[in-house]
């Protein structure tokens, strides 16, 4: 009995309530899901989230980005995973960062760990025109999120490689996301790091000045574990590696 398989392929990702809408009642829906799972026509990603499988490989046909975007009603791809979606990641990670207003327990599926992050805002989250099942932060939001949590960017080197791969950032959007966070330290880190790429990213002097005005009087360390080569950058009141751009020359190709 495969008459509903076309409906499932059309949806790609679905829940029990979606199946109830198709077959008419809950018992029949549960029986159908059990049957299709047994035949490996569908697979269960986690509690009440299913996808159809590739007939040849029996693997899920939904991408990790589609799955991540549908874990909860408010879920979206963020941090390093957003950089990866935008083609900016330098390394391949097997952790997918998912921001959501609703908390979920991290889980593994087909070699990927889906990791929960608390959503700070829906600003900058969008659905790409060619990926109707994906919700992801735009490049500007992704950069600000990653500067705020460099650990979730894959580390400083990975973040710098991503920024170096960009050719433009909309500074009005950057300013909006900085205002949402409203953290002096984030203005400090953002101004410091993006100043190295000002010309490439087409950022104005006014944007960097605006960041400097917000940093306050506190002196901070860029990294939780300061590098041995850290020096004081007085313009930003920040202890950071002496030559940030040298990180781009290290060129590690590890898979995290």
């Amino acid at each position: 009995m495969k008459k509903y398989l076309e409906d499932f392929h059309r949806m790609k990702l679905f829940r029990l309530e979606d199946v109830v809408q198709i077959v008419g009642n809950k018992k029949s829906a549960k029986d159908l899901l059990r049957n299709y799972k047994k035949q490996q026509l569908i697979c269960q990603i986690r509690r009440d989230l299913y996808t159809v499988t590739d007939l040849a490989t029996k693997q899920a046909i939904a991408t990790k980005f589609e799955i991540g975007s549908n874990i909860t009603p408010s879920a979206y791809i963020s941090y390093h995973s957003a950089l990866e979606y935008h083609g900016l990641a330098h390394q391949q990670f097997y952790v997918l960062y998912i921001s959501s207003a609703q908390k979920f327990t991290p889980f593994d599926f087909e070699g990927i760990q889906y990791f929960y992050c608390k959503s700070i805002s829906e600003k900058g989250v969008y659905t790409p025109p060619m990926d109707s099942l994906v919700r992801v932060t735009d490049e500007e939001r992704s950069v600000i999120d990653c500067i705020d949590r460099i650990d979730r960017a894959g580390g400083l080197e990975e973040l710098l490689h991503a920024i170096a791969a960009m050719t433009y950032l909309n500074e009005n959007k950057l300013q909006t996301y900085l205002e949402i966070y409203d953290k002096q330290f984030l203005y400090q880190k953002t101004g410091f790091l993006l100043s190295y790429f000002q010309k490439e990213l087409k950022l104005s002097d006014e944007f960097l000045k605006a960041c400097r005005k917000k940093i306050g009087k506190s002196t901070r360390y860029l990294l939780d574990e300061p590098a041995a080569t850290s020096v004081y950058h007085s313009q930003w009141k920040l202890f950071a590696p002496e030559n940030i751009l040298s990180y781009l020359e290290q060129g590690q190709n590890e898979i995290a």
Side-chain angles (χ1 to χ4, degrees):
M1 190 172 82
K2 300 177 184 178
K3 66 176 183 176
Y4 298 111
L5 202 53
E6 189 176 326
D7 295 306
F8 290 172
H9 272 273
R10 188 181 65 254
M11 291 187 292
K12 194 181 280 191
L13 286 158
F14 48 92
R15 302 178 187 277
L16 175 61
E17 63 184 42
D18 299 315
V19 184
V20 171
Q21 290 290 320
I22 293 171
V23 303
N25 67 77
K26 198 169 186 177
K27 183 183 182 305
S28 297
K30 286 184 174 180
D31 288 342
L32 183 64
L33 287 172
R34 194 178 303 112
N35 256 335
Y36 279 14
K37 275 176 63 180
K38 190 174 181 180
Q39 297 176 63
Q40 293 185 289
L41 298 172
I42 66 171
C43 60
Q44 187 168 0
I45 297 166
R46 67 190 298 265
R47 184 176 61 84
D48 198 28
L49 183 60
Y50 303 84
T51 185
V52 284
T53 58
D54 181 281
L55 294 177
T57 66
K58 303 303 180 185
Q59 298 291 298
I61 67 165
T63 69
K64 62 184 180 181
F65 299 114
E66 291 172 330
I67 292 170
S69 301
N70 286 274
I71 294 172
T72 71
S74 62
Y76 57 89
I77 310 300
S78 57
Y79 297 99
H80 182 271
S81 305
L83 297 178
E84 185 183 344
Y85 179 84
H86 291 303
L88 298 166
H90 184 56
Q91 300 180 39
Q92 181 182 358
F93 280 39
Y94 294 112
V95 175
L96 206 74
Y97 291 106
I98 309 299
S99 291
S100 170
Q102 296 89 16
K103 191 169 185 179
F104 66 87
T105 303
F107 65 94
D108 293 339
F109 178 71
E110 292 188 349
I112 301 295
Q113 183 189 23
Y114 293 81
F115 187 85
Y116 165 77
C117 305
K118 184 179 180 181
S119 174
I120 63 142
S121 173
E122 283 276 325
K123 283 277 189 182
V125 178
Y126 76 111
T127 296
M130 302 303 290
D131 264 337
S132 62
L133 292 177
V134 171
R135 277 168 34 93
V136 63
T137 51
D138 63 26
E139 291 187 14
E140 289 82 2
R141 169 74 189 275
S142 304
V143 166
I144 297 300
D145 286 347
C146 285
I147 294 175
D148 180 60
R149 290 293 303 267
I150 294 176
D151 57 323
R152 291 180 181 174
L156 181 59
E157 181 185 337
E158 180 72 5
L159 175 57
L160 290 171
H161 275 286
I163 295 173
M166 299 175 177
T167 57
Y168 171 73
L169 284 176
N170 184 313
E171 61 186 57
N172 291 325
K173 287 185 177 182
L174 293 174
Q175 192 64 47
T176 295
Y177 306 143
L178 284 167
E179 287 169 2
I180 289 170
Y181 272 103
D182 193 25
K183 291 181 179 178
Q184 288 185 351
F185 188 24
L186 184 53
Y187 280 102
Q188 221 166 345
K189 291 191 288 184
T190 299
F192 173 71
L193 291 175
L194 296 189
S195 68
Y196 284 90
F197 304 91
Q198 181 182 2
K199 183 179 177 182
E200 293 81 359
L201 299 176
K202 301 167 184 64
L203 297 174
S204 68
D205 290 338
E206 286 68 31
F207 172 75
L208 296 179
K209 285 177 185 174
C211 288
R212 272 196 298 274
K213 284 180 181 177
K214 292 283 189 176
I215 64 177
K217 297 179 180 179
S218 299
T219 295
R220 296 180 172 89
Y221 286 85
L222 176 65
L223 302 173
D224 291 334
E225 296 181 7
T229 56
S230 286
V231 298
Y232 183 60
H233 298 264
S234 58
Q235 189 179 24
W236 297 102
K237 297 187 175 67
L238 201 63
F239 279 98
E242 184 174 5
N243 183 5
I244 283 289
L245 295 181
S246 68
Y247 278 71
L248 299 176
E249 298 163 8
Q250 295 176 23
Q252 294 180 3
N253 290 309
E254 297 173 3
I255 295 181

